[in-house]
Amino acid sequence: MLIDVTGVFYKGSGFFIFLTLCILTSDASSQPSFSDVTLNKGIQTCQNEQEGFGIGSSAADFDSDGDVDLFLATPEGDRDRLLVNDGAGNFQNMASQAGIDVITRSRGGLWFDHNNDRRLDLLVTTDCFRTACETFTTLLTLYQQTSTGTFTNVTAQAGLTDPALSRDWHRSGVAAGDLNGDGYLDLITGYWEGPVKLYLNQHNGTFIEVSQSAGLGSSTEYRGHWQPMIIDFDGDGLLDIYFTIDFNVNKLWINQGNQDGVPVFADMGLISSCDNNMNDMGLTMADYDEDGDPDIYATNIFRNGNHNVLLENQSTPGNPACVDVSAMAGVMEGGWGWGTTFFDANNDTHMDLVETNGWHINGWEQPIRLFIQNFNNLKTFIDQAPSSGLTSLQWGSSLLALDMDRDGDLDLIESVPDACARNRPFDLPLGIYESTLDNTNLDKNHLVVKPRIDGLNHFAIGTKVQVTIGNRTLTRWVTAGTSFLGQEPAEVHFGLADLTSIDQLIITWPDGMQTIDHNLAVNQLLTYTHTPFIFKDDFE
């Protein structure tokens, strides 16, 4: 079948119109396959059990050498780990050399360029949950990366000192995004039993806390916050915030624009039916139904009527709307759910779902669930975890999908909060599950796109990337902060089955400009760089 596609391709300061004919090629489906390679990847040290509800890991190419590295948060008494990738998916802990191997309890981390010097900095979160708060001087630590690849603690200078006020305040996840459109990344974080905090970037390496003036609730409004994500949910060009809430309604804060430079949000969870009210914990978003907007998946504890929730996005600009399609999709039943992510597990072009489960009490040892989108009945899923080799019963919290060995398929990284705590000899603080599609003699074509900006927000957080294959459009977003206390790298992956070319690629940058390319070969990692237009007003 042939279709016509017309668009504008921006390149440098010029543009041109093109017309191309796109050919719909056949689909192919394959069985996903994973192998537990943790012991072979340099992760061979136990750690203490983390007090509280989970621990996070954050993935990014922090040293800009082309492969994905990991920051692993650790319990008090254990040193944080910076796992540097050698390019083949093997990791070496370089935290000591980098200057970030502290022994204070950490809960999670986030890679982001806080001062726009094109080097990724690291925000480390912690809490004094169920311990002596007076030993914690701050619950946030910002490490600024230097030109030599080491890190300097700039927390106080940045204004991010967050005092430990209550041993009941368990740290939630953190996300970054340019919420007021000034080119600088802002931060949203909070506590499970405590307030939300929005830190607005001041362009000089400092932040101010603006949650109340931004409409995110009072400082005494406690809910049970778990994981935020920053994404343009309703398609109006402004970044919004979604927050999973334990024991209460989820929050969907829709961006209303700026007031005196501060982004102002309206809580539209209730009127949009996006405010699920269960024990929502882990969070991921993707366009699983291929209509161009991000759908929501949140994990829960499967009991007493609670279940994992798939909310299909039916928004129009300025009018967010969700429909719960969990039962129809077959993704309700997980277990004691934590981290989760959408990804194409078998490179068949369709988005799949994976989630961690478990709890460190008898009877809640549960395996990962891998929901593969049913090729014969799209928008429904079948759990293929056992047949895919995902059978571990360890309690996993954060869960990330990334291509650690650059072989074209996505691997899984699982954080394990109670590693070595139960005297089991092979428990480690990570579970690394390598995708072995390349050993199955099945088609696994792919494309990886790295959007970058020659200017502010260099890592292009908030960018949307779309590829057209015949009469279908696949959509991905570059975000910072997801899953459960986790983060995936600033790149997007498309599984392409047996397709040999891509009709069209469209990158919509945070400033609304688009880069359009066409007739692309598969099995590439492509970096696109956007140079924003500079207007006279930018200097006034």
Side-chain angles (χ1 to χ4, degrees):
M1 185 175 81
L2 299 178
I3 59 173
D4 292 337
V5 179
T6 304
V8 180
F9 176 53
Y10 296 88
K11 191 172 184 179
S13 60
F15 67 92
F16 60 87
I17 304 294
F18 71 86
L19 177 68
T20 184
L21 292 179
C22 304
I23 301 175
L24 176 62
T25 56
S26 63
D27 291 307
S29 184
S30 59
Q31 167 70 38
S33 176
F34 293 89
S35 177
D36 187 342
V37 296
T38 312
L39 290 172
N40 302 324
K41 294 298 181 180
I43 318 297
Q44 298 180 354
T45 305
C46 282
Q47 67 184 30
N48 296 318
E49 182 174 4
Q50 176 74 297
E51 179 69 52
F53 310 133
I55 199 166
S57 56
S58 305
D61 180 12
F62 88 93
D63 51 7
S64 298
D65 64 353
D67 50 48
V68 181
D69 311 297
L70 294 168
F71 171 76
L72 177 61
T74 56
E76 188 169 5
D78 289 314
R79 297 188 178 277
D80 288 344
R81 303 187 192 189
L82 178 61
L83 304 178
V84 178
N85 195 329
D86 68 355
N90 304 303
F91 297 95
Q92 182 180 2
N93 183 15
M94 302 291 288
S96 176
Q97 294 88 328
I100 61 173
D101 61 333
V102 300
I103 60 173
T104 305
R105 173 200 291 174
S106 55
R107 188 66 66 181
L110 186 83
W111 297 101
F112 78 118
D113 182 6
H114 91 282
N115 57 353
N116 272 327
D117 64 357
R118 304 192 182 189
R119 290 188 287 265
L120 284 173
D121 310 304
L122 178 64
L123 181 76
V124 178
T125 67
T126 187
D127 55 56
C128 57
F129 185 68
R130 294 177 180 171
T131 191
C133 289
E134 58 268 20
T135 63
F136 290 77
T137 57
T138 178
L139 301 182
L140 293 175
T141 304
L142 178 61
Y143 295 103
Q144 180 174 307
Q145 188 175 173
T146 70
S147 60
T148 62
T150 60
F151 292 82
T152 301
N153 187 333
V154 296
T155 310
Q157 301 94 305
L160 287 174
T161 302
D162 187 17
L165 299 178
S166 171
R167 65 191 302 271
D168 295 325
W169 286 15
H170 188 295
R171 172 66 70 180
S172 70
V174 60
D178 180 11
L179 293 169
N180 59 357
D182 61 2
Y184 288 78
L185 295 181
D186 311 302
L187 295 168
I188 179 77
T189 184
Y191 298 90
W192 177 68
E193 189 68 29
V196 164
K197 296 195 174 185
L198 175 61
Y199 295 96
L200 194 66
N201 198 315
Q202 298 299 289
H203 308 178
N204 57 3
T206 69
F207 296 80
I208 58 171
E209 206 284 311
V210 297
S211 57
Q212 294 184 60
S213 57
L216 302 186
S218 71
S219 60
T220 58
E221 194 172 359
Y222 304 155
R223 292 190 186 92
H225 312 94
W226 269 138
Q227 180 62 47
M229 282 193 72
I230 296 175
I231 200 167
D232 181 6
F233 187 77
D234 61 344
D236 65 354
L238 301 174
L239 292 179
D240 310 303
I241 301 170
Y242 193 85
F243 224 126
T244 52
I245 311 292
D246 201 354
F247 297 105
N248 214 317
V249 294
N250 292 347
K251 291 293 181 179
L252 174 60
W253 285 302
I254 296 295
N255 197 328
Q256 306 296 297
N258 297 337
Q259 182 174 333
D260 298 326
V262 176
V264 177
F265 297 87
D267 182 359
M268 301 185 72
L270 177 62
I271 65 172
S272 64
S273 299
C274 300
D275 61 334
N276 192 60
N277 185 4
M278 296 182 189
N279 293 122
D280 297 60
M281 295 188 288
L283 175 64
T284 184
M285 293 193 198
D287 180 22
Y288 91 101
D289 55 358
E290 298 179 14
D291 63 354
D293 52 31
D295 307 295
I296 299 170
Y297 187 70
T299 61
N300 267 275
I301 304 172
F302 188 71
R303 64 176 182 179
N304 301 329
N306 292 348
H307 54 80
N308 295 337
V309 176
L310 177 59
L311 301 177
E312 190 173 294
N313 190 338
Q314 297 188 356
S315 303
T316 58
N319 298 288
C322 291
V323 174
D324 186 348
V325 297
S326 313
M328 178 190 71
V331 295
M332 296 173 64
E333 184 175 353
W336 197 308
W338 298 95
T340 182
T341 190
F342 275 107
F343 76 128
D344 188 349
N346 51 5
N347 277 4
D348 70 349
T349 75
H350 300 291
M351 293 299 276
D352 310 304
L353 274 167
V354 64
E355 65 154 318
T356 57
N357 290 289
W359 187 230
H360 55 179
I361 56 176
N362 292 333
W364 283 102
E365 296 87 356
Q366 300 164 325
I368 290 175
R369 297 295 179 95
L370 178 63
F371 297 109
I372 300 299
Q373 195 163 175
N374 189 344
F375 189 77
N376 297 315
N377 186 13
L378 295 179
K379 297 176 66 172
T380 66
F381 297 80
I382 300 173
D383 184 7
Q384 294 187 16
S387 60
S388 300
L390 297 174
T391 58
S392 171
L393 295 176
Q394 60 193 1
W395 168 30
S397 57
S398 184
L399 183 64
L400 311 175
L402 54 98
D403 187 358
M404 67 180 178
D405 47 9
R406 290 298 186 204
D407 66 349
D409 48 26
L410 291 174
D411 313 298
L412 296 173
I413 305 291
E414 177 190 30
S415 297
V416 184
D418 62 345
C420 310
R422 289 188 268 178
N423 297 316
R424 300 186 302 195
F426 300 113
D427 279 358
L428 292 171
L430 283 182
I432 301 180
Y433 306 103
E434 182 179 352
S435 175
T436 53
L437 282 179
D438 51 327
N439 297 324
T440 63
N441 297 318
L442 294 171
D443 297 303
K444 67 173 202 73
N445 292 336
H446 67 280
L447 181 74
V448 177
V449 179
K450 281 187 177 182
R452 295 294 183 263
I453 297 176
D454 185 14
L456 304 179
N457 188 12
H458 174 66
F459 296 93
I461 304 303
T463 297
K464 180 170 68 173
V465 183
Q466 297 173 292
V467 299
T468 299
I469 50 174
N471 62 354
R472 298 169 57 203
T473 298
L474 313 181
T475 305
R476 309 283 189 267
W477 288 265
V478 180
T479 62
T482 188
S483 187
F484 183 85
L485 313 180
Q487 178 186 17
E488 294 178 335
E491 60 188 48
V492 296
H493 173 277
F494 297 91
L496 294 171
D498 60 352
L499 297 170
T500 57
S501 66
I502 295 164
D503 302 324
Q504 181 175 251
L505 178 143
I506 302 177
I507 301 175
T508 303
W509 302 96
D511 63 4
M513 297 296 292
Q514 290 187 329
T515 295
I516 303 179
D517 207 349
H518 60 286
N519 297 332
L520 297 172
V522 300
N523 299 331
Q524 298 188 78
L525 190 158
L526 298 176
T527 299
Y528 285 83
T529 302
H530 171 54
T531 302
F533 291 119
I534 299 176
F535 298 98
K536 180 173 181 280
D537 290 345
D538 293 336
F539 299 97
E540 296 180 348

